[in-house]
Amino acid sequence: MKNIQNEVMSWVQRSTDQHLCLAVTGLSRSGKTAFITSLVNQLLAVNQGARLPLFTPVREGRVIGVKRVPQRDLATPSFNYDRGLEQLYEHPACWPTPTKGVGKIELVIRYRTDRLLMRHLKETSSLRLEIIDYPGEWLLDLPMLGQSYAQWSMQMNSLLNAQRKEWAQAWQDACADLNAESLADEQRLADIAQRWTDYLHRCKDEGYHFIQPGRFILPGEMAGAPALQFFPWPFSTVENQHQNLDKNTTFATLERRYNFYCQHVVKKFYKEYFLKFDRQIVLVDCLQPLNSGVNAFNDMRLALTQLMQSFHYGQRSLFRRLFSPVIDKLLFAATKADHVTSDQHANMVALLRQMTQAAWKNAAFEGVKIDCIALSAIQATCPGVMAYQQQQVPALRGRRLPDYQPVTLYPGEVPAQLPNPSFWLQQGFAFENFTPLEMNADEPLPHLRMDNALDFLLGDKLL
Amino acid sequence: MKNIQNEVMSWVQRSTDQHLCLAVTGLSRSGKTAFITSLVNQLLAVNQGARLPLFTPVREGRVIGVKRVPQRDLATPSFNYDRGLEQLYEHPACWPTPTKGVGKIELVIRYRTDRLLMRHLKETSSLRLEIIDYPGEWLLDLPMLGQSYAQWSMQMNSLLNAQRKEWAQAWQDACADLNAESLADEQRLADIAQRWTDYLHRCKDEGYHFIQPGRFILPGEMAGAPALQFFPWPFSTVENQHQNLDKNTTFATLERRYNFYCQHVVKKFYKEYFLKFDRQIVLVDCLQPLNSGVNAFNDMRLALTQLMQSFHYGQRSLFRRLFSPVIDKLLFAATKADHVTSDQHANMVALLRQMTQAAWKNAAFEGVKIDCIALSAIQATCPGVMAYQQQQVPALRGRRLPDYQPVTLYPGEVPAQLPNPSFWLQQGFAFENFTPLEMNADEPLPHLRMDNALDFLLGDKLL
């Protein structure tokens, strides 16, 4: 009898000690590193002062403890939690250095189960939480898998308006006398591809987010490989126009490299990483694009629309045709909520919801539970009040970047919906950046609504 | 009849249009980039003034032409020939920027065959030459595949004498109270591994060459991964002493990472690259280690001995046990022959032969044809004469690095055999470094004995 009980116990152990892979991404400067640093910090301090009232298992007092465990995947770089924390605790406090490429960190959460059946069999369960950080730019490439080289070229060329046109001028000049049918000149293609890469870097530096091919700006060990030496065909070209060209011609060479990139770089990321993710949080900084103006703002909307295709699991979606979806929960989080007054948080969420909504319609997200929140992973301001036209209005107190000046200010309103063209003409936005608050190393990092995020992403796994 | 002839022709075409993969390596600063730049330059200029009298197919007038062709392997970075050439043609001329990691460049050599049978069937043949550049440090890791973690640790600790002991002090201090049986502390292991990496960098900066694990100093996309966060066990430990430790202990964690490194980093290089090489040239700079003194010189001998294990194809060799050998010709080249007077070249070759000879004995290199030469890929000096004790002695004229001063000097003698200990006490060496000669972009790069190297490496493939 004892033996049977042991066997049942061991079986239960195996089946309830769960594993969850939580993926964290966002477009560049959206605050991925700060988010993961805070998430790990809150969990590790769960019984030492972390303020997580909305994280159900914590509120119910069922989380026994959380600890870091050695990473099982030895080949992936570790997320450097300790260095980020050190930087935050410096005087003056600094934001953690942003990560490049992929990073991982693993925790085990030990908790008392709430399920009746389980309670009879065992006291506690554990969840092994693998947190993985990767550049959101890599998701922007997914749609390329559904486009031919000619189709992709047309789309890229159609974007070259206004500032993008100006930034792409050097690339266009270099393409001037390119001949589809002439023998490919490797060196020249490398030069022109470099100009396309320069253009992408310029877009990124100016706060634009729709950057393709995403790997061009973070090439890693492929730097200088022919697989990254292509660019959109610069002339308007109809599908099949260059179909029967010899494989050594310029057009065929570019097309071959495009196809190689899709098959061996884009698909590889989805196979090696993305298909192992259980849950995903996408971080979005709405404030910077609002500051940068209508074009940058619309560009971020476009980037988000592209990015969301990786989570469209409807029957006819590109993703479903290529892969088997796994992710069952997807959270969009507007970061830097502490950079606006709390009365603006509802607007922030409403705006983010609208920016991502186009894609939510027609039930594209079958089986994926989605939510939008506004949060601050590491709080950089305190609420305050200031006088404005003889009234006391809500304000923020903090130290401004880059000059570290203490300021009390009202940063302005966040529009609750996509601003219309006339709005952009009337006024702009000027949200400030702040340094982190000076912090006490004994206390968990101050935050806004990290507990909401944790509850959505992990709560149901800790029942 | 015509049809049959065509078929035969096409069959012959396929079977005689050959492919050869030539691998170029060397310890750091041995001149790999200069060598490949010159090799490509000489071949491309084969009928436009290249001085290659000892390259048989050229002397016999059978090389019709050489051209660069697009790289077929799209995923591997291209060797940047054009940039290197630009730097050489600058005023003042600069050495090409050294490459990091792997680089490739492909040429096609069209030639008239010398074989009677072939001559009846077709006029010309072609050889597709794939040149691949990789860090010699990667070959130093091969012997790790034959060592357990404990054995490797003993070997690493045994090297910590004299200067190496001093450079490793910070690492040793950090290891002071390390306990094999305590639970592994990931962060601490990462810190200590960083100190081991710092030690390896110091060795490299000081001109030492035996560096293990080789990938620690060129981690690429694995930077920060647990697979690169191990180090030798710092205490003398007998094999099996820590055999039954729990997998979460410090010792077991380090051992697991060592084994992962061997299986997934070292073996991967051999499988993905090394096994595809047909011929290999290993470049060796003997002059710098002679300048650096007895310890650095002996260290290079040790590194060469380690490195040569990758070419030991005898039945009982480590390589043969793990892989199927392919390389059939191996050339050791002492580079910078132009940095000594020509009467010293024979000594240079004799010295290199001795440094590598220990390993040649007992027929370890079955089926591999080996040779040693001294060469200068890109000549940086001209011969001159100077007065010494009222006699005219041979000298070199060139511009000295780093101050670009024109000098005429007698650089000294190269020992024809391994210097004995008393020799090192009596005198040191002080070979100068030179800038490249000012060059005319219309003319092939000046060199010494590149034609010997080409003849050994390619001559028999162009018959």
Side-chain angles (χ1 to χ4, degrees):
Chain A
M1 187 62 202
K2 186 101 190 285
N3 254 341
I4 292 177
Q5 204 184 339
N6 278 347
E7 262 181 45
V8 171
M9 283 298 286
S10 128
W11 171 82
V12 169
Q13 188 85 27
R14 274 203 303 278
S15 64
T16 58
D17 280 353
Q18 307 165 87
H19 177 267
L20 184 81
C21 181
L22 171 64
V24 179
T25 197
L27 301 171
S28 66
R29 303 190 225 172
S30 58
K32 292 192 292 290
T33 309
F35 177 82
I36 297 176
T37 304
S38 176
L39 184 139
V40 171
N41 186 262
Q42 309 303 335
L43 286 175
L44 289 178
V46 75
N47 294 323
Q48 286 97 45
R51 204 172 37 75
L52 302 168
L54 299 179
F55 186 22
T56 314
V58 168
R59 189 180 60 242
E60 295 177 352
R62 293 188 291 98
V63 176
I64 299 160
V66 178
K67 61 172 186 176
R68 278 171 77 178
V69 287
Q71 192 175 315
R72 281 195 285 206
D73 166 7
L74 300 182
T76 302
S78 307
F79 178 83
N80 204 330
Y81 170 70
D82 300 83
R83 199 183 54 182
L85 216 57
E86 267 170 32
Q87 293 176 294
L88 286 164
Y89 289 141
E90 274 171 20
H91 294 281
C94 300
W95 292 109
T97 310
T99 51
K100 279 185 180 180
V102 177
K104 262 193 189 175
I105 184 165
E106 295 189 29
L107 304 174
V108 166
I109 304 175
R110 194 119 195 112
Y111 64 100
R112 261 184 291 278
T113 180
D114 194 32
R115 283 172 291 178
L116 213 60
L117 172 69
M118 287 296 127
R119 275 211 309 245
H120 285 290
L121 290 168
K122 58 188 298 215
E123 267 295 292
T124 62
S125 291
S126 66
L127 174 72
R128 189 180 184 101
L129 178 65
E130 186 186 334
I131 302 164
I132 182 161
D133 168 29
Y134 69 96
E137 282 78 7
W138 294 359
L139 297 180
L140 297 180
D141 283 347
L142 178 79
M144 294 172 76
L145 297 179
Q147 291 173 312
S148 68
Y149 174 60
Q151 289 168 334
W152 176 72
S153 297
M154 282 209 314
Q155 191 198 5
M156 290 296 106
N157 282 307
S158 73
L159 290 173
L160 300 180
N161 302 309
Q163 287 181 293
R164 277 184 182 261
K165 186 171 173 56
E166 186 191 319
W167 301 333
Q169 196 58 54
W171 169 75
Q172 278 186 319
D173 293 347
C175 290
D177 60 344
L178 208 60
N179 182 344
E181 299 175 23
S182 67
L183 209 61
D185 172 347
E186 262 205 315
Q187 198 53 39
R188 181 153 185 227
L189 296 187
D191 281 351
I192 303 178
Q194 185 54 51
R195 286 171 196 242
W196 182 256
T197 309
D198 294 343
Y199 154 71
L200 296 179
H201 276 292
R202 181 71 191 271
C203 290
K204 190 166 179 252
D205 294 345
E206 300 276 356
Y208 278 52
H209 291 296
F210 182 37
I211 281 166
Q212 262 182 2
R215 208 58 69 104
F216 278 33
I217 56 167
L218 203 70
E221 284 172 12
M222 286 190 98
L228 303 190
Q229 288 170 344
F230 66 94
F231 46 83
W233 188 247
F235 312 113
S236 59
T237 195
V238 290
E239 188 68 8
N240 303 337
Q241 186 184 334
H242 299 307
Q243 201 175 26
N244 296 314
L245 289 179
D246 179 81
K247 73 180 173 63
N248 295 321
T249 59
T250 301
F251 188 88
T253 300
L254 291 170
E255 189 175 37
R256 186 166 57 248
R257 292 177 180 183
Y258 172 84
N259 290 330
F260 185 92
Y261 180 86
C262 290
Q263 293 305 310
H264 296 273
V265 180
V266 183
K267 267 201 176 165
K268 192 175 167 212
F269 163 69
Y270 281 90
K271 281 184 189 160
E272 285 189 5
Y273 291 103
F274 195 83
L275 290 176
K276 293 170 188 161
F277 301 161
D278 299 306
R279 286 170 180 196
Q280 174 74 55
I281 178 165
V282 178
L283 304 173
V284 181
D285 173 10
C286 307
L287 303 180
Q288 190 54 47
L290 285 173
N291 280 353
S292 302
V294 59
N295 289 329
F297 185 78
N298 287 334
D299 179 80
M300 188 177 67
R301 287 178 59 198
L302 178 63
L304 283 173
T305 308
Q306 290 274 111
L307 181 148
M308 290 181 76
Q309 293 203 31
S310 295
F311 308 101
H312 282 199
Y313 297 161
Q315 290 302 333
R316 289 192 200 169
S317 75
L318 175 63
F319 194 90
R320 168 83 70 172
R321 278 186 285 132
L322 293 167
F323 306 104
S324 302
V326 183
I327 289 169
D328 65 347
K329 279 189 158 191
L330 172 60
L331 183 61
F332 284 93
T335 54
K336 307 185 187 170
D338 59 332
H339 283 47
V340 295
T341 48
S342 59
D343 57 317
Q344 298 301 313
H345 291 176
N347 283 6
M348 236 177 160
V349 175
L351 182 67
L352 179 60
R353 199 179 284 273
Q354 280 196 50
M355 282 199 288
T356 53
Q357 189 146 39
W360 297 29
K361 292 183 180 161
N362 59 36
F365 290 91
E366 288 171 11
V368 186
K369 211 171 157 191
I370 307 190
D371 205 358
C372 270
I373 63 170
L375 59 77
S376 161
I378 300 166
Q379 213 178 327
T381 66
C382 301
V385 286
M386 60 186 286
Y388 179 69
Q389 297 181 341
Q390 279 128 15
Q391 293 211 314
Q392 294 288 305
V393 295
L396 299 178
R397 286 185 298 122
R399 283 175 312 145
R400 199 167 54 185
L401 272 177
D403 61 6
Y404 287 82
Q405 277 307 305
V407 288
T408 299
L409 54 80
Y410 180 68
E413 291 183 3
V414 178
Q417 47 197 332
L418 303 176
N420 57 38
S422 65
F423 180 90
W424 289 102
L425 291 174
Q426 286 162 30
Q427 68 169 104
F429 298 92
F431 297 105
E432 295 282 353
N433 282 315
F434 293 93
T435 69
L437 294 172
E438 291 302 310
M439 280 170 290
N440 186 334
D442 299 335
E443 290 167 16
L445 299 170
H447 70 87
L448 295 177
R449 277 190 287 281
M450 283 297 286
D451 45 350
N452 288 54
L454 283 166
D455 201 54
F456 179 83
L457 295 168
L458 305 180
D460 61 322
K461 289 287 177 182
L462 301 173
L463 283 177
Chain B
M1 188 59 204
K2 187 102 191 281
N3 253 341
I4 291 176
Q5 202 183 341
N6 276 347
E7 262 180 46
V8 170
M9 282 300 284
S10 127
W11 172 83
V12 169
Q13 188 86 26
R14 274 201 304 278
S15 64
T16 57
D17 281 353
Q18 308 166 85
H19 176 268
L20 185 81
C21 180
L22 171 65
V24 179
T25 197
L27 300 171
S28 65
R29 304 191 226 172
S30 58
K32 291 192 292 291
T33 309
F35 177 82
I36 297 176
T37 304
S38 176
L39 183 139
V40 171
N41 186 261
Q42 308 304 334
L43 286 175
L44 290 178
V46 75
N47 293 324
Q48 286 96 44
R51 204 173 35 78
L52 302 168
L54 298 180
F55 186 22
T56 313
V58 168
R59 190 181 57 241
E60 295 178 352
R62 293 189 291 100
V63 176
I64 298 160
V66 179
K67 62 172 186 176
R68 278 171 78 179
V69 288
Q71 193 176 315
R72 281 195 284 206
D73 165 9
L74 300 182
T76 301
S78 307
F79 178 84
N80 205 330
Y81 170 70
D82 300 83
R83 200 183 53 182
L85 216 55
E86 268 170 31
Q87 292 176 296
L88 287 164
Y89 288 141
E90 273 171 19
H91 295 281
C94 299
W95 292 109
T97 310
T99 51
K100 280 185 178 180
V102 177
K104 261 191 191 177
I105 186 165
E106 295 188 29
L107 304 174
V108 167
I109 304 174
R110 194 120 195 110
Y111 63 100
R112 260 184 291 278
T113 180
D114 195 32
R115 283 171 291 179
L116 211 61
L117 173 68
M118 288 296 125
R119 276 211 308 245
H120 284 289
L121 290 165
K122 59 188 298 216
E123 268 295 292
T124 63
S125 293
S126 66
L127 174 71
R128 189 179 184 103
L129 178 64
E130 186 186 333
I131 302 163
I132 181 160
D133 168 29
Y134 68 96
E137 281 77 7
W138 295 358
L139 296 180
L140 298 180
D141 283 347
L142 179 78
M144 294 173 77
L145 297 179
Q147 291 174 313
S148 69
Y149 174 60
Q151 289 168 334
W152 177 72
S153 297
M154 283 209 314
Q155 191 198 4
M156 290 297 107
N157 282 308
S158 73
L159 289 173
L160 299 181
N161 303 309
Q163 287 181 294
R164 279 186 180 259
K165 185 171 175 56
E166 186 191 319
W167 302 332
Q169 196 58 53
W171 169 75
Q172 276 185 319
D173 293 346
C175 291
D177 61 344
L178 209 59
N179 182 343
E181 300 176 23
S182 67
L183 210 61
D185 173 347
E186 262 204 317
Q187 197 54 38
R188 180 151 186 230
L189 297 188
D191 280 352
I192 303 178
Q194 184 55 51
R195 285 171 197 245
W196 182 257
T197 310
D198 294 344
Y199 154 71
L200 297 178
H201 276 292
R202 180 72 191 271
C203 290
K204 190 168 180 251
D205 293 345
E206 300 277 356
Y208 279 52
H209 291 297
F210 182 38
I211 280 165
Q212 265 184 357
R215 208 59 68 104
F216 278 32
I217 55 166
L218 204 69
E221 285 173 11
M222 285 191 100
L228 302 190
Q229 287 170 345
F230 66 93
F231 46 83
W233 187 248
F235 312 113
S236 60
T237 198
V238 288
E239 187 70 8
N240 304 335
Q241 186 183 334
H242 299 306
Q243 200 176 26
N244 296 313
L245 290 178
D246 179 81
K247 71 182 174 62
N248 294 322
T249 59
T250 300
F251 188 87
T253 300
L254 291 171
E255 190 175 36
R256 188 166 56 249
R257 291 177 180 183
Y258 172 85
N259 290 330
F260 185 93
Y261 180 86
C262 290
Q263 292 305 311
H264 295 273
V265 180
V266 182
K267 267 200 176 165
K268 194 174 166 212
F269 163 70
Y270 280 89
K271 281 184 190 159
E272 286 189 3
Y273 290 104
F274 195 83
L275 289 176
K276 293 170 188 160
F277 301 161
D278 299 306
R279 289 177 176 190
Q280 174 75 56
I281 177 165
V282 178
L283 305 173
V284 180
D285 172 10
C286 308
L287 302 180
Q288 190 54 47
L290 285 173
N291 279 354
S292 302
V294 59
N295 290 329
F297 186 79
N298 286 335
D299 179 81
M300 188 175 68
R301 287 178 58 197
L302 178 63
L304 283 173
T305 308
Q306 289 275 112
L307 183 149
M308 289 182 76
Q309 293 203 30
S310 295
F311 308 101
H312 282 200
Y313 298 160
Q315 291 301 333
R316 289 191 198 170
S317 75
L318 175 62
F319 194 91
R320 168 83 69 173
R321 277 185 286 133
L322 295 165
F323 307 103
S324 302
V326 183
I327 289 169
D328 65 347
K329 280 190 159 190
L330 172 60
L331 181 62
F332 285 93
T335 53
K336 307 186 187 170
D338 59 331
H339 284 46
V340 295
T341 47
S342 59
D343 56 318
Q344 298 300 313
H345 292 175
N347 284 5
M348 239 178 159
V349 175
L351 182 66
L352 179 61
R353 199 178 285 271
Q354 279 196 52
M355 283 199 287
T356 51
Q357 189 146 38
W360 297 29
K361 293 184 181 161
N362 59 37
F365 290 90
E366 288 172 11
V368 187
K369 210 172 158 190
I370 307 189
D371 205 358
C372 270
I373 64 170
L375 60 77
S376 161
I378 301 166
Q379 212 179 327
T381 66
C382 302
V385 286
M386 61 188 284
Y388 179 70
Q389 298 181 341
Q390 280 127 17
Q391 293 213 311
Q392 294 288 306
V393 296
L396 299 178
R397 286 184 299 122
R399 284 173 313 144
R400 197 168 53 184
L401 271 177
D403 62 6
Y404 287 83
Q405 278 307 305
V407 288
T408 299
L409 53 79
Y410 180 68
E413 289 184 6
V414 177
Q417 48 197 335
L418 303 177
N420 58 35
S422 65
F423 181 88
W424 289 102
L425 292 174
Q426 288 163 30
Q427 69 168 103
F429 298 91
F431 298 104
E432 295 281 351
N433 283 316
F434 293 92
T435 70
L437 294 172
E438 293 301 311
M439 281 169 288
N440 186 335
D442 300 335
E443 289 167 16
L445 298 169
H447 70 88
L448 295 178
R449 277 188 289 279
M450 284 297 286
D451 46 349
N452 288 54
L454 283 166
D455 201 53
F456 179 82
L457 295 167
L458 306 180
D460 61 324
K461 289 286 176 183
L462 301 173
L463 280 179

